[in-house]
């Protein structure tokens, strides 16, 4: 279709046609280049295909084209709130009362009372002074470093931080230091080196999504104190369920008063719709409203999305029963899988990577798990280091004990069949 249109324009041969023909040649060249790049991705075995779900997000799914009753172990729906009836009702009410969307950025005519209420609720939940909403946590991470840090400052980042932190840091002009993953000796060495700068910011994921491991925040905060640095954490895989009241990694490790800035998402445990935020000192939030580009130049969060997140926070602040239930299920899965002979990376986190080593083994086992009605995903290089392929299992509060046991049984069968277990 595209090629035919280009050929017709070229044949017309007018002045305008000639210039169109030139752009047509560029388009054809682009197409060839893209096709070759796509072929390389396929050839490298790193092609990501998307399975189409024909039902709501939840512990049990129906896949488009037939597969029903699939038990889902690969969503970030940690608390099972994505399809919680009260969350859905809150979205519908917000949609009816406040409309589909704002058709505006926040500072022109895009701020409604629900946005202010949600920001207040988030700050209250994290026990911080203020909060600012973004369309995603990716945006929150893209916006913060550039707004906060100048060439006089320094940022020290864990080498395995999420891509959005890495990209956010790339956008800022501060001096950049990368320390080895969770390596406190290396962080200390880098902090010493960074003493010459005006301000130092240590940036880390609270919980790392590929390994289910938790940043040593106590030690990080001690070093930050010793070398006069600030601490930033990305809590996407912690908010809502880590710590006695689900406040996150800082609560779990007893350093809520030592972490200065938190970025997190509304698109995982907190209802799963979309959205992200920064919470921290009021002057920082005020500055982000003035300077943060993804906030200033992007549409306001839709009311239905705000309604979901707001209700999810209400449910969490009413009781920690959901978070506790997820923790118990995580424990059940981890201990049964370990007893069956598997190695599960991380500790006490609902991200449970079943370590297999070989990329082919991870991929074949994940396929075979789906044949047994268990939806899990294999990860291999370059998403994880070479030789560290794994199947990542994510536990949700809405999995039943029976779901967990079926998953362990399927792993045991499939593991024996493919030689991952004796
Ligand atoms: N940070 C981390 C650690 C994440 O895992 C993700 C999402 O995968 C993000 C940031 C981005 O969050 P969002 O989906 O809200 O853009």
């Amino acid at each position: 279709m595209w090629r035919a249109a280009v050929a017709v324009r070229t044949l017309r041969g007018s002045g305008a046609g000639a210039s169109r023909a030139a752009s047509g040649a560029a388009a054809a060249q682009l197409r060839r280049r893209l096709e070759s790049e796509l072929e390389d991705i396929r050839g490298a075995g790193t092609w990501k295909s998307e399975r189409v779900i024909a039902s709501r997000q939840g512990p049990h799914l129906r896949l488009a084209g037939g597969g029903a009753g699939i038990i889902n172990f690969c969503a970030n729906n940690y608390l099972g709130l994505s399809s919680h009836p009260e969350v859905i009702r809150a979205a519908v009410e917000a949609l009816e009362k406040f409309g589909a969307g704002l058709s505006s950025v926040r500072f022109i005519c895009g701020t409604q009372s629900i946005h202010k209420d949600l920001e207040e609720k988030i700050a209250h939940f994290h026990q911080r002074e203020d909060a600012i909403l973004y369309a995603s946590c990716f945006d929150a991470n893209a916006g913060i470093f550039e707004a906060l840090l100048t060439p006089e400052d320094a940022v020290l980042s864990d080498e395995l931080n999420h891509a959005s932190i890495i990209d956010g840091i790339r956008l800022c002009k501060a001096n950049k230091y990368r320390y080895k993953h969770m390596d406190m000796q290396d962080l200390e060495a880098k902090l010493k080196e960074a003493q010459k700068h005006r301000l130092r910011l240590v940036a880390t994921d609270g919980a790392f999504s590929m390994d289910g491991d938790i940043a040593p925040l106590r030690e990080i905060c001690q070093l930050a104190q010793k070398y006069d640095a600030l601490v930033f954490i990305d809590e996407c895989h912690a908010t809502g369920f880590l710590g006695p009241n689900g406040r996150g990694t800082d609560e779990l490790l007893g350093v809520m008063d030592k972490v200065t800035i938190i970025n997190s998402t509304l698109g995982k445990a907190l209802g799963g719709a979309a959205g992200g935020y920064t919470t921290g000192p009021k002057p920082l939030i005020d500055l982000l409203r003035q300077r943060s580009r993804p906030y200033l130049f992007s549409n306001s969060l839709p009311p239905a999305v705000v309604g979901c997140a707001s209700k999810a926070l209400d449910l969490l602040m009413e009781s920690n029963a959901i978070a506790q239930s997820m923790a118990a299920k995580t424990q059940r899965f981890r201990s049964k899988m370990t007893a069956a002979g598997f190695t599960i990376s991380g500790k006490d986190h609902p991200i449970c990577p079943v370590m297999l080593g070989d990329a082919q083994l991870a991929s074949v086992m994940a396929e075979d798990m789906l044949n047994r009605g268990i939806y899990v995903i294999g990860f291999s290089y370059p998403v994880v280091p070479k030789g560290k392929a794994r199947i990542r299992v994510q536990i949700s509060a809405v999995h039943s004990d029976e779901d967990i046991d079926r998953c362990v049984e399927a792993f045991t069968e499939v593991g024996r069949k493919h030689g991952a277990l004796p």
Side-chain angles (χ1 to χ4, degrees):
M1 186 74 176
W2 196 11
R3 273 192 198 131
V6 167
V8 168
R9 286 188 203 124
T10 311
L11 280 174
R12 281 189 188 134
S14 67
S19 86
R20 283 200 197 128
S23 81
Q29 189 191 24
L30 174 67
R31 177 184 285 269
R32 276 196 302 278
R33 190 172 68 68
L34 296 179
E35 278 169 356
S36 138
E37 206 168 315
L38 292 172
E39 212 33 62
D40 288 349
I41 298 173
R42 281 193 197 93
T46 55
W47 187 265
K48 290 177 264 316
S49 43
E50 298 173 5
R51 229 165 234 130
V52 181
I53 297 168
S55 59
R56 287 177 177 179
Q57 182 60 279
H60 301 132
L61 297 177
R62 188 161 52 80
L63 298 180
I70 303 290
I71 311 180
N72 176 19
F73 285 94
C74 47
N76 301 305
N77 185 19
Y78 297 114
L79 298 175
L81 298 181
S82 301
S83 301
H84 190 287
E86 285 190 51
V87 172
I88 294 171
R89 203 173 313 122
V92 172
E93 280 168 15
L95 180 67
E96 281 179 348
K97 185 163 177 200
F98 291 96
L102 273 299
S103 310
S104 171
V105 298
R106 289 285 297 273
F107 79 95
I108 298 181
C109 68
T111 300
Q112 292 171 318
S113 51
I114 44 172
H115 296 94
K116 297 309 285 179
D117 292 347
L118 179 56
E119 284 169 342
E120 206 175 296
K121 214 175 267 187
I122 289 168
H124 177 67
F125 179 76
H126 285 285
Q127 298 173 21
R128 298 307 199 274
E129 289 173 16
D130 202 356
I132 176 174
L133 290 171
Y134 286 87
S136 67
C137 185
F138 203 109
D139 278 353
N141 286 341
I144 189 156
F145 301 101
E146 191 195 16
L148 178 64
L149 304 173
T150 74
E152 285 183 79
D153 305 316
V155 56
L156 301 97
S157 171
D158 186 293
E159 64 180 349
L160 292 192
N161 274 343
H162 188 259
S164 54
I165 301 179
I166 295 170
D167 284 7
I169 290 175
R170 277 191 193 138
L171 289 171
C172 83
K173 296 197 172 65
N175 299 277
K176 291 152 193 152
Y177 297 82
R178 204 163 63 135
Y179 63 91
K180 291 197 193 108
H181 181 49
M182 304 206 310
D183 182 331
M184 293 301 98
Q185 270 187 346
D186 197 34
L187 174 59
E188 181 157 22
K190 301 278 159 47
L191 276 166
K192 280 184 187 157
E193 230 183 302
Q195 286 306 293
K196 54 186 180 264
H197 308 297
R198 180 183 64 174
L199 183 153
R200 286 150 294 285
L201 179 69
V202 180
T204 180
D205 279 13
F208 291 84
S209 63
M210 281 300 137
D211 292 280
D213 49 1
I214 293 169
L217 274 191
R218 254 185 239 128
E219 292 77 2
I220 290 177
C221 289
Q222 274 162 11
L223 285 175
Q225 208 158 1
K226 183 168 170 191
Y227 293 97
D228 195 20
L230 300 168
V231 178
F232 159 98
I233 55 176
D234 174 325
E235 288 282 87
C236 283
H237 295 279
T239 300
F241 56 91
L242 284 191
N245 301 296
R247 289 336 187 235
T249 320
D250 58 340
E251 186 193 29
L252 179 75
L253 297 174
V255 290
M256 283 184 88
D257 56 339
K258 302 220 162 43
V259 170
T260 311
I261 308 165
I262 295 175
N263 275 8
S264 194
T265 186
L266 304 172
K268 299 193 196 300
L270 299 185
Y277 58 86
T278 297
T279 184
K282 184 164 184 340
L284 168 70
I285 304 303
D286 288 345
L287 182 77
L288 291 173
R289 289 192 205 281
Q290 303 304 314
R291 291 263 170 82
S292 179
R293 293 167 70 82
Y295 178 81
L296 285 168
F297 301 112
S298 188
N299 210 18
S300 307
L301 268 191
V305 168
V306 175
C308 287
S310 190
K311 178 52 76 177
L313 282 167
D314 289 346
L315 293 172
L316 283 177
M317 287 193 276
E318 269 164 30
S319 146
N320 65 359
I322 312 173
Q324 297 296 334
S325 140
M326 191 220 55
K329 278 157 196 162
T330 297
Q331 183 53 32
R332 184 180 186 96
F333 180 78
R334 281 181 171 271
S335 58
K336 287 199 166 200
M337 284 291 281
T338 308
F342 286 103
T343 302
I344 312 297
S345 170
K347 189 172 162 282
D348 299 338
H349 196 281
I351 292 174
C352 305
V354 182
M355 302 306 287
L356 297 167
D358 183 68
Q360 182 72 8
L361 178 64
S363 148
V364 169
M365 275 182 62
E367 272 307 312
D368 225 356
M369 291 290 286
L370 190 60
N371 295 335
R372 287 165 168 74
I374 308 285
Y375 185 11
V376 286
I377 295 280
F379 289 93
S380 53
Y381 181 80
V383 181
V384 295
K386 269 193 182 135
K388 296 237 167 128
R390 65 202 63 182
I391 291 177
R392 187 174 73 171
V393 173
Q394 288 173 282
I395 305 296
S396 168
V398 283
H399 283 129
S400 63
D401 285 349
E402 195 195 341
D403 293 336
I404 306 266
D405 295 351
R406 274 190 59 194
C407 183
V408 176
E409 277 158 30
F411 260 112
T412 310
E413 275 172 37
V414 167
R416 284 203 188 112
K417 177 176 162 192
H418 295 284
L421 286 181

